[in-house]
């Protein structure tokens, strides 16, 4: 969703703002803009489309000044035009704001300002904030405090004013904002990737916080304008981890980072001898855990697919019933919740609005609340009482890859932890822990498949506008994930289905050359899946199977087999998803599409 950057310092603001915006591009956007406070007051540049359009304008229109704000906009209120791009200014041109979120009382505020004679120049809710601030008097911080009670909804805003041209005021209710303390310069951004090249010392603002940034430092206030203490944290992510590192796309780099990401996640939760898990590392209160009778997993998108696999892990190993819900549905369905239900929000970003709302339900019901999350200090991280950090590092490609595989590992470790708490652990756990430590090697092997196989896979998939991905058991979520990857970055329609359900409808789609992708490694249910494949084959389907080399019965059925190593059944979801990620990647590259920033998508969905 929208990206925000703000800078107060001694260097020219424009190049710093543009660099910050470049690093926020992955969040998804359709227009961009910046404002700088200089001798001529606040000057604004905005452009439709990609950042390069704004950059071209910036080269032709020097905007001197050492204080500024910038924005990438993902359109909500109004089309992605230049007039609707941010920053938006008030009627006098003395206040400029950038905003991420949605004002729910937009219509009422718009009507009120219009009847007060304010001429609106955009369709945005953001412009209303600029006018409200512009119509107040006094220092910007005081104006913000007076305007805040008038704003309903979710917002993260950074404002600047000609009355105090050396400072920025940032405030949030919902979408994240992080402020960075550099050397004689202060920054604010939607996420840390935009700050890393200038500082790793950051403060994550809480809901309702207001931060005033001046060259000399940052002061944080509550919504009433009273100073509050917020610790500065030093991040261990460095800027290089958010670079492409020689790969053509972030997605490809992140696919190849999976062995390391998985290794780091496994090792973070093992005991000193690496023979079992270190249960203290999870941060669970063991007494609370002993009382748990069921588990509720909530998430969106790819993280929801990870939860579907997590259900198999927890039910099989810890013998606890698990429900998996889309967070966006769960939050509105008055779920049954109490102290006996462990609620786990699974989220790469830790900022997905629906996942946070679903977790908040759990918190209010007194349920033990945990998160599997990739961003330390994110909103989910701070909301949960127990946290499992997936050690994937920054994930920039919009299509999630390494976050997914590390989520699977984290959920498997959680299942082992619950198993231990319930006294069910035995010698087999040690063997599984050993296999987990060998998993990075298996992932390397899965990544080593020759490109030629993917070229044939691309031909097979691109022969049709639709395809079907089939799997069974814990590989059905992998079929869903493979289909989602293809849809997201290639814009080709694909559906994931449990093999056994195919005869109940989707088989009607199959005709000559219709692509069917089968997630078919060795499992007790493989014979059943082969039966499904024979049925689609008989109707002319072209079959691409992911299975261990030489899989009996598949040779004569499949047009193409992408081999994966033969691993423990619990680890099959991890090795089989890799070829599906690479297949989607190769299709999108072949079609000449923007792999890392697919149209209409945002990396993290911070509003409903
Ligand atoms: O940050 P989160 O894990 O909470 O994000 C959830 C989804 O928005 C995300 O997984 C989305 O589906 C990705 N684009 C998938 O590739």
């Amino acid at each position: 969703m929208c990206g925000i950057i703000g800078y107060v310092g001694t260097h020219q603001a424009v190049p710093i703002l543009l660099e910050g915006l470049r690093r926020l591009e992955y969040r998804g956007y359709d227009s961009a803009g910046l404002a700088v406070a200089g001798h001529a007051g606040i000057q604004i540049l905005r452009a439709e489309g990609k950042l390069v359009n704004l950059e071209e304008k910036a080269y032709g229109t020097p905007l001197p000044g050492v204080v500024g704000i910038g924005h990438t906009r993902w359109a909500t209120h109004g089309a992605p035009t230049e007039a609707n791009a941010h920053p938006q200014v008030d009627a006098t041109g003395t206040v400029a704001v950038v905003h991420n979120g949605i004002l729910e009382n937009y219509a009422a505020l718009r009507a009120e300002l219009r009847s007060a004679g304010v001429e609106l120049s955009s369709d945005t809710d953001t412009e209303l904030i600029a006018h409200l601030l512009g119509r107040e008097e006094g220092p910007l911080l005081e104006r913000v405090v007076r305007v805040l009670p008038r704003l309903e909804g979710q917002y993260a805003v950074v404002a600047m004013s000609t009355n105090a041209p050396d400072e920025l005021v940032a405030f949030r209710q919902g979408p994240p904002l992080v402020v960075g303390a550099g050397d004689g310069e202060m920054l604010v951004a939607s996420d840390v990737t935009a700050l890393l090249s200038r500082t790793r010392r950051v403060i994550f603002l809480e809901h309702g916080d207001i931060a005033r940034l001046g060259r000399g430092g940052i002061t944080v206030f509550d919504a009433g304008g009273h100073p509050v203490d917020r610790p500065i944290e030093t991040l261990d992510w460095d800027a290089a981890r958010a670079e492409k590192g020689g790969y053509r796309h972030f997605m490809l780099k992140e696919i190849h980072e999976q062995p390391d990401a998985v290794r780091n996640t496994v090792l973070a939760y093992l005991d000193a001898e690496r023979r079992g898990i270190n249960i203290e590392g999870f941060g669970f209160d063991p007494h609370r855990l002993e009382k748990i009778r069921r588990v509720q997993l909530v998430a969106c998108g790819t993280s929801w697919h990870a939860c579907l696999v997590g259900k198999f892990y927890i039910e099989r190993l810890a013998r606890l019933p698990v429900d998996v819900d889309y967070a966006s549905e769960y939050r509105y369905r008055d779920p049954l919740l109490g102290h006996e239900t462990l609620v786990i929000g699974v989220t790469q970003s830790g900022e997905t609005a629906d996942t946070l709302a679903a977790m908040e339900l759990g918190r209010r019901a007194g349920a033990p609340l945990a998160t599997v999350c990739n961003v330390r200090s994110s909103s989910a991280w701070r909301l949960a009482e127990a946290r499992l950090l997936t050690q994937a590092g920054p994930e920039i490609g919009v299509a999630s890859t390494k976050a997914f595989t590390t989520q699977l590992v984290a959920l498997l470790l959680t299942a082992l932890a619950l198993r231990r708490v319930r006294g069910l652990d035995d010698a087999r756990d040690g063997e599984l822990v050993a296999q987990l430590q060998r998993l990075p090697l298996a992932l390397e092997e899965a990544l080593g498949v020759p490109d030629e196989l993917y070229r044939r896979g691309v031909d097979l998939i691109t022969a049709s506008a639709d395809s079907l991905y089939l799997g069974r058991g814990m590989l059905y979520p992998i079929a869903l994930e493979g289909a989602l990857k293809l849809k997201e970055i290639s814009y080709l329609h694909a559906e994931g289905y449990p093999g056994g359900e195919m005869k109940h409808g989707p088989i009607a789609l199959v005709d000559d050359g219709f692509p069917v992708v089968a997630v078919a490694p060795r499992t007790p249910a493989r014979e059943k899946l082969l039966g499904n494949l024979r049925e689609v084959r008989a109707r002319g389907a072209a079959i691409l199977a992911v299975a261990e080399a030489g899989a009996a019965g598949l040779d004569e059925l499949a047009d193409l087999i992408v081999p994966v190593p033969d691993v423990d059944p619990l680890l099959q979801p991890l090795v089989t998803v890799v070829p599906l990620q690479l297949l989607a990647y190769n299709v999108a590259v072949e079609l000449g599409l923007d792999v890392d920033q697919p149209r209409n998508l945002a990396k993290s969905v911070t509003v409903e």
Side-chain angles (χ1 to χ4, degrees):
M1 305 247 114
C2 306
I4 288 177
I5 178 83
Y7 175 79
V8 183
T10 52
H11 297 278
Q12 286 302 306
V14 169
I16 294 168
L17 297 175
L18 286 173
E19 195 211 322
L21 292 180
R22 177 66 65 208
R23 291 181 186 276
L24 293 169
E25 273 194 298
Y26 79 99
R27 295 169 65 92
Y29 71 105
D30 32 42
S31 63
L34 53 83
V36 174
H39 295 306
I42 293 177
Q43 289 182 284
I44 302 229
L45 276 186
R46 297 182 299 204
E48 284 179 26
K50 289 289 182 193
L51 198 53
V52 65
N53 301 341
L54 181 69
E55 284 168 341
E56 271 170 21
K57 281 193 172 180
Y59 298 141
T61 326
L63 297 186
V66 293
V67 178
I69 54 181
H71 191 260
T72 45
R73 173 173 185 253
W74 191 86
T76 56
H77 287 84
T81 59
E82 187 175 329
N84 287 333
H86 303 196
Q88 292 283 323
V89 284
D90 74 320
T92 60
T94 57
V95 173
V97 299
V98 289
H99 164 220
N100 177 10
I102 293 177
L103 288 190
E104 283 162 8
N105 57 338
Y106 157 85
L109 289 175
R110 202 171 162 84
E112 176 195 316
L113 286 164
R114 275 206 163 128
S115 63
V118 175
E119 270 186 40
L120 300 173
S121 58
S122 77
D123 304 319
T124 65
D125 48 356
T126 308
E127 185 186 354
L128 310 178
I129 303 173
H131 289 300
L132 290 173
L133 290 172
R135 288 162 70 81
E136 295 289 336
E137 289 187 349
L140 189 54
L141 176 71
E142 289 175 18
R143 297 188 202 196
V144 168
V145 170
R146 286 197 292 275
V147 164
L148 273 182
R150 316 231 27 228
L151 307 181
E152 290 170 20
Q154 304 283 306
Y155 47 81
V157 177
V158 182
M160 63 195 295
S161 157
T162 50
N163 293 346
D166 286 344
E167 67 181 39
L168 299 177
V169 176
F171 49 102
R172 70 166 286 224
Q173 182 66 51
L177 275 180
V178 55
V179 289
D183 193 8
E185 59 184 26
M186 306 297 142
L187 298 104
V188 56
S190 300
D191 68 56
V192 294
T193 50
L195 308 180
L196 282 175
S197 64
R198 302 201 76 83
T199 183
R200 287 193 288 134
R201 299 178 63 239
V202 300
I203 300 172
F204 292 90
L205 296 183
E206 309 262 337
H207 288 282
D209 277 357
I210 308 172
R212 186 174 59 202
L213 287 77
R215 214 160 282 129
I218 300 159
T219 320
V220 184
F221 305 86
D222 65 16
H226 311 106
V228 287
D229 207 16
R230 297 279 179 257
I232 292 195
E233 300 178 30
T234 303
L235 298 171
D236 55 6
W237 287 7
D238 64 45
R241 291 187 76 187
E243 304 285 352
K244 283 191 200 144
Y247 285 91
R248 186 167 167 196
H249 296 101
F250 279 111
M251 184 182 178
L252 189 61
K253 175 183 176 231
E254 288 159 5
I255 289 172
H256 282 273
E257 282 174 343
Q258 291 180 107
D260 279 345
V262 160
R263 182 181 294 108
N264 293 339
T265 307
V266 171
L267 293 183
Y269 295 98
L270 294 189
D271 59 23
E273 290 80 38
R274 297 189 181 171
R275 294 219 184 93
I277 51 163
N278 167 23
I279 211 155
E280 282 78 41
F282 290 71
F284 287 123
D285 173 349
H287 302 297
R288 293 259 274 165
L289 279 194
E290 279 161 17
K291 299 194 182 97
I292 284 169
R293 295 292 164 264
R294 54 188 281 264
V295 177
Q296 174 70 58
L297 301 177
V298 287
C300 300
T302 285
S303 299
W304 181 75
H305 296 157
C307 293
L308 294 178
V309 179
K311 174 180 168 76
F312 280 88
Y313 289 161
I314 296 170
E315 290 190 343
R316 190 163 297 178
L317 294 171
R319 309 306 293 160
L320 280 166
V322 180
D323 289 312
V324 179
D325 273 75
Y326 281 122
S328 53
E329 293 294 321
Y330 186 76
R331 62 184 290 191
Y332 292 115
R333 76 164 168 78
D334 193 15
L336 300 173
L337 260 180
H339 295 82
E340 79 306 332
T341 304
L342 170 63
V343 175
I344 308 181
V346 178
T347 165
Q348 186 283 131
S349 61
E351 301 296 351
T352 299
D354 286 319
T355 305
L356 294 174
M359 289 173 67
E360 181 60 29
L361 273 188
R363 193 188 63 78
R364 283 205 214 118
L369 182 62
T371 187
V372 167
C373 183
N374 195 41
V375 182
R376 195 189 287 277
S377 297
S378 61
S379 300
W381 184 267
R382 281 174 286 138
L383 189 59
E385 56 189 87
R387 297 117 171 189
L388 267 93
L389 185 69
T390 46
Q391 312 263 342
E395 190 181 66
I396 306 293
V398 164
S400 187
T401 53
K402 60 178 179 171
F404 177 70
T405 36
T406 54
Q407 285 168 347
L408 296 186
V409 166
L411 288 166
L412 184 51
L413 293 165
T414 303
L416 284 170
L418 291 170
R419 181 174 163 86
R420 168 97 61 86
V421 169
R422 291 167 61 72
L424 300 172
D425 53 325
D426 58 30
R428 282 172 302 171
D429 295 32
E431 177 47 28
L432 185 54
V433 166
Q435 296 236 18
L436 266 172
Q437 290 176 80
R438 292 196 289 273
L439 179 59
L441 296 177
L443 292 171
E444 297 281 6
E445 197 180 324
L447 286 165
V449 169
D451 288 348
E452 166 54 23
L453 281 190
Y454 288 105
R455 276 197 286 278
R456 287 171 53 201
V458 168
D459 291 343
L460 192 142
I461 293 286
T462 54
S464 166
D466 305 280
S467 54
L468 201 56
Y469 283 59
L470 300 180
R472 296 192 74 127
M474 67 179 79
L475 300 168
Y476 159 54
I478 300 307
L480 290 175
E481 176 59 9
L484 178 67
K485 288 288 90 84
L486 188 73
K487 278 183 279 209
E488 282 187 298
I489 60 171
S490 76
Y491 317 148
L492 290 174
H493 174 247
E495 249 186 282
Y497 238 79
E501 277 296 298
M502 208 206 29
K503 283 204 283 290
H504 298 280
I507 198 165
L509 294 168
V510 178
D511 60 7
D512 256 356
F514 182 86
V516 171
V517 178
V519 190
R522 185 197 318 276
T523 63
R526 178 155 68 190
E527 204 31 62
K528 308 263 181 216
L529 184 63
L530 292 187
N532 303 141
L533 295 181
R534 280 181 206 109
E535 289 155 5
V536 292
R537 186 71 179 169
R539 288 158 180 84
I543 297 175
L544 184 159
V546 174
E548 76 284 351
L554 261 178
D555 282 355
E556 61 269 26
L557 268 175
D559 295 84
L560 177 62
I561 299 178
V562 180
V564 286
D566 204 0
V567 294
D568 184 285
L570 291 175
L571 305 184
Q572 284 173 341
L574 287 125
V575 294
T576 52
V577 78
V578 170
L580 303 186
Q581 297 166 342
L582 282 168
L583 178 66
Y585 172 80
N586 279 283
V587 170
V589 169
E590 175 65 24
L591 296 177
L593 298 171
D594 189 345
V595 171
D596 286 331
Q597 293 162 37
R599 70 182 180 203
N600 304 337
L601 287 180
K603 178 66 183 164
S604 98
V605 181
T606 53
V607 294
E608 267 194 279

